Every structure is written in structure tokens, then in C-alpha cells.
Amino acid sequence: MTLPPETAQRIGHDIDRAVDILRSGGVVGVPTETVYGLGADASNSQAVARIFRIKGRPSNHPLIVHVANAQVARRWAGLWPNEAEALAESFWPGPLTLIVSKAAHVIDEVTGGLPTVALRCPSHPMMQELLQEFGGGIAAPSANRFGKVSPTTAGHVLDDLGDDVDYVLDGGPCAIGVESTIVDCTKLPVQILRPGGIPASDIRRVLGAVDTAHGPSRAPGMLESHYAPACRIHCVESTSRAEEKIMELRHRFESVHTATPSRAPVILDASSDPESFAASMYSVLRECDRSGIDDVVVILPDDEGIGAAIRDRILKASHRS
Ligand code: TXA
Ligand code: MG
């Protein structure tokens, strides 16, 4: 595929260039193993303010600070509890975000004025290299406009943010495809605020106890209508229910459209192989929107492992604002 010259210059593998942009207060699309982030120097309030402007995100929704390792993470924490240490040791680098009390130097623009900070050490090799070269913390939300589907390729980032992003590091498609698990380590037992790439059972194995009742939401920004594609999502719990639903939707569709079968309702099966489904979930939802499909029936996976994160995102995507 040949990209137009402006696009070709804004997407690439140049880590030095990404570091220069971050140091001069710019914003860079960054690959992680979960989804792509929109990164800025977490110590630079103007650069962080730019993230909020680009995303159209309310300023009281805090950002995750990405760090190269647990040693750097401790510099961003006021208190670093034993639970945080144990989880970091077991799952970092990886798709796990830890909420701890913040160090005094952490700016309010990052935490939305909260006394806590979200810290994550991602495993994606290109992001690791970037973090090590940059040295500091990179504040990064998912690189989509507020409330929309997260990006899992560099192309998605440019599709969504266009000229607003200075550069996108292309690390290929994200392997996990759903965001990190967020664990609040400021209380005992620790609480999962958002299910994600690391299952609750793995966290329980390390700490013994974990609170998985992730509501009422204590993570600002976890709205019911998050992760919303343009298509309508219908959630079902079994193949037979999916078949009934698709018959009903196709019947309705055929009575309205005769010449556009490519837009007919489709079934997505998230239940047979949840890991693979997660990896392509956001791409497939984007593809449905691009094809003009109005109705998508999703067979939900069991509420365990990565299935908990899929259910959370798909149920949110099915709430239309
Ligand atoms: O996998 C991920 O976590 C991706 C990649 C780019 O790292 N990032 C991501 O960021 O999903 P974002 O901004 O889309 O979601 C971060 C969530 C938000 O819902 C925010 O409210 C919550 O983390 N959060 C951040 N700081 C927090 C804090 N101090 N207390 C509670 N929740 C916090
Ligand atoms: Mg997000």
C-alpha cells in the first residue's frame, strides 16, 4: 500500500524522533500490547492539556502514566504498598494499571485533581524502548476521540486523530486488543476498577483477595456509553439466541433495503475463542461501521479470563448515548 506523502511522514518506526517530539511538548501515537495511546510528557502540563483538547475529553478524567519499570513507577507514587509491589513483580511489563497515592510532583492535569495516580508498565517492545530512551513518564489515554472505539493499529490512530497528532509510532496491531486491567491499590482488598488484559483470577492468585465488584465506578470516565461504535450492538448469551435475533433483524432489514446486502446485520461470536476475539474486537467494530452495518449481534463470552473485559466493553458499546 502506498500512503500519501503527508501520512507517510507522520507514521513510522523512528523512536528518536518520537523522543524529540515528547521532549518538545508534542504528542505521539504510541503502540502498546492493549491499544494505541496518545502520549505526552507526563511532567509537562501544556503537553498534557493538548491530549485533553485533541481527545475532547473532560479535564477531570485522569490519565495513566506509562513507565519503563517498577523502579520508575515508585518515583511517581507517594506510597507504594506491598500489594502494588507484588502485582508489579508478577505482571509488569504487561496489561495492568495500578492506582496508588501520588507523589507530590505529579501534576493535577494528569490526575484530574485526584490524590492518586494510575501507573502502568507496558510490555510492547517499541513502547518499552521509547520509555527507556525518554526516561520519564508518558501520560497516555487510548488514542481515540472521547467515547469512541479504541485504536489497535497505527492506521486507526491517524484515521481518528489526523493532523492533530504529531507522529505515530507504528508497532503493528495490538496483541491483546482490550485495555489494561485497572487495580486500585489504595484500599484492601485491592479493587478492580476496570477488567482488562490481566484476569481477576490471576490477581487473586497473587494477593489472595480482590474486590471484583467494579461499580459504582470509582474511575472517572467510565461512562455507560463508552467505547461506542456507530452500529447498534445487540448482546446475547448463546448461539441459539443469536440465530433468533439475526432472523428478526434480517427480516426487518430486507423489508427496507433490497440492494445493499453488504449492510445486512451480522453475528460476532466472542464466546468460542475470547482471546482471538479480543485481539480483533475494535478493528471488527470499526470495519462494521465502515461497511455501514447498522446492527451487530454479539454472542458474549463467559465472565471469566479476558471474557470479563470483552463483556464490559461490548455491554458499554451497546448503550447508545
Ligand atoms: O491499556 C490501557 O490502559 C490503555 C493504554 C494506552 O495504556 N490506556 C487507557 O487509557 O485505556 P484511558 O485513558 O482510555 O483509560 C484510563 C482509565 C480512565 O477511565 C481513568 O478514569 C482511569 O483509567 N484512571 C486514571 N487515573 C485514575 C485514578 N487516579 N483513579 C481512578 N481511575 C483512574
Ligand atoms: Mg479510553
Side-chain angles (χ1 to χ4, degrees):
M1 186 175 63
T2 331
L3 295 168
E6 327 77 68
T7 308
Q9 282 165 15
R10 226 149 358 90
I11 198 162
H13 304 97
D14 189 343
I15 290 178
D16 291 339
R17 179 170 168 194
V19 169
D20 287 345
I21 293 170
L22 291 174
R23 292 211 171 118
S24 57
V27 292
V28 178
V30 292
T32 83
E33 66 280 19
T34 59
V35 301
Y36 273 71
L38 178 62
D41 178 352
S43 303
N44 179 334
S45 43
Q46 281 175 9
V48 172
R50 218 177 127 200
I51 292 181
F52 284 91
R53 274 201 307 278
I54 293 173
K55 277 201 63 132
R57 172 168 167 138
S59 59
N60 64 342
H61 290 186
L63 303 180
I64 296 173
V65 177
H66 298 73
V67 291
N69 51 50
Q71 199 184 334
V72 180
R74 280 188 222 102
R75 286 192 231 135
W76 290 79
L79 278 175
W80 185 251
N82 293 340
E83 290 73 22
E85 181 63 22
L87 292 176
E89 213 164 88
S90 301
F91 303 115
W92 278 3
L96 178 72
T97 296
L98 301 174
I99 308 283
V100 293
S101 71
K102 75 179 190 82
H105 69 86
V106 185
I107 58 179
D108 280 344
E109 286 81 355
V110 165
T111 65
L114 291 174
T116 53
V117 63
L119 298 169
R120 161 156 135 77
C121 169
S123 64
H124 192 292
M126 194 179 262
M127 182 64 168
Q128 264 294 325
E129 217 179 302
L130 177 71
L131 284 163
Q132 277 162 29
E133 241 188 77
F134 180 63
I138 298 179
S142 49
N144 51 291
R145 302 271 183 209
F146 180 62
K148 298 297 178 194
V149 174
S150 297
T152 51
T153 67
H156 292 163
V157 178
L158 277 192
D159 287 348
D160 282 6
L161 305 180
D163 292 347
D164 286 346
V165 60
D166 298 321
Y167 187 56
V168 183
L169 270 179
D170 186 355
C174 301
I176 294 175
V178 288
E179 297 81 351
S180 60
T181 304
I182 302 181
V183 178
D184 183 352
C185 298
T186 65
K187 52 176 296 206
L188 283 177
V190 301
Q191 185 181 19
I192 296 187
L193 301 186
R194 177 178 73 181
I198 300 284
S201 51
D202 287 6
I203 293 169
R204 191 171 293 114
R205 208 167 300 128
V206 173
L207 295 183
V210 57
D211 180 356
T212 52
H214 32 82
S217 182
R218 296 174 67 235
M222 292 195 197
L223 309 175
E224 283 297 292
S225 65
H226 238 73
Y227 313 103
C231 54
R232 264 183 304 270
I233 306 264
H234 307 266
C235 299
V236 295
E237 299 281 351
S238 68
T239 309
S240 58
R241 277 298 298 134
E243 278 157 9
E244 281 165 36
K245 189 75 198 170
I246 203 87
M247 293 286 281
E248 175 196 320
L249 290 167
R250 285 201 176 139
H251 187 68
R252 218 184 295 159
F253 177 83
E254 277 153 20
S255 64
V256 183
H257 306 271
T258 43
T260 49
S262 60
R263 292 181 49 193
V266 293
I267 298 181
L268 301 179
D269 180 7
S271 67
S272 346
D273 183 352
E275 268 80 16
S276 312
F277 181 83
S280 63
M281 175 169 75
Y282 289 135
S283 282
V284 170
L285 291 177
R286 280 167 183 266
E287 200 45 56
C288 290
D289 280 352
R290 207 179 352 260
S291 317
I293 294 172
D294 292 324
D295 290 282
V296 174
V297 178
V298 181
I299 308 173
L300 294 172
D302 291 339
D303 192 10
E304 62 186 28
I306 197 86
I310 296 172
R311 291 180 72 94
D312 175 75
R313 306 307 189 274
I314 291 291
L315 286 165
K316 286 194 169 111
S318 72
H319 282 91
R320 307 190 99 194
S321 43

